[in-house]
Amino acid sequence: GESVGLHLPTLSVQEGDNSIINCAYSNSASDYFIWYKQESGKGPQFIIDIRSNMDKRQGQRVTVLLNKTVKHLSLQIAATQPGDSAVYFCAEGDYGQNFVFGPGTRLSVLP
Amino acid sequence: DVKVTQSSRYLVKRTGEKVFLECVQDMDHENMFWYRQDPGLGLRLIYFSYDVKMKEKGDIPEGYSVSREKKERFSLILESASTNQTSMYLCASRPGTARGYTFGSGTRLTVV
């Protein structure tokens, strides 16, 4: 089923601040999670992934946290920039199965 | 750089027309997918294919069909377009292991 509800939440942050985008997933058997970024008029782009045997993974300016106890995933963006403005959505999957995508969160970076 | 290419960025078609959306990937991926994306609903899986000439229904296959005659190409067909098929269509591919998808840029289809 759907991981999150039907409404697209919006997060507004000041340029330079840190952003935290949250995602609740539905399947406790999911063992692989991905964050995607989708800019207006473009297809989704891979940002970072994490497997269920980890609880934290860092990339360049981004960190993904996984809390399997409460089935929660978050994406942290450090020093948010105007180019980070986009829709971000998470995907959950199980080995060999297709991914389930959430509807996303719109991040708006204020000057 | 790996690529998934969708042949059209924007399409306008009339109700009842047969519509073909084409997708080509250059990564030798086994799995290919067609999603539609509507505001607030996220990505919904229409059809997928895990090998040449193989296809599987996704969550919303009604009104659609697909064709995969070659590994690199996956076509989505709207047999008789209707206005409720106005949407953004996204093609994706991935290798045959538990890895993330690579998406195309999308085709925004408007049916009038």
Side-chain angles (χ1 to χ4, degrees), chain A residues 2 5-8 32 34 36 38 41-46 49 51 89 94-99 101-103, chain B residues 9-10 33 35 37 39-45 48 88 90 94 96-106:
Chain A
E2 293 292 329
L6 296 180
H7 302 289
L8 188 65
Y32 184 50
I34 306 174
Y36 284 92
Q38 187 175 21
K42 297 183 179 180
Q45 293 179 289
F46 173 94
D49 60 357
R51 296 201 177 275
F89 53 91
D94 189 11
Y95 184 84
Q97 303 298 315
N98 296 329
F99 287 93
F101 294 86
Chain B
R9 291 297 302 275
Y10 300 94
F33 305 82
Y35 287 87
Q37 184 178 33
L41 295 179
L43 275 71
R44 292 182 292 167
L45 182 63
F48 65 101
M88 168 72 93
L90 289 163
R94 74 169 181 182
T97 55
R99 300 286 300 277
Y101 297 173
T102 300
F103 284 92
S105 297

Side-chain angles (χ1 to χ4, degrees), chain B residues 47-51 53-57 65-67 74:
Chain B
Y47 266 97
F48 65 101
S49 168
Y50 52 86
D51 204 350
K53 297 191 184 294
M54 305 301 289
K55 60 183 179 183
E56 295 286 343
K57 292 180 179 179
S65 62
V66 290
S67 173
F74 192 35

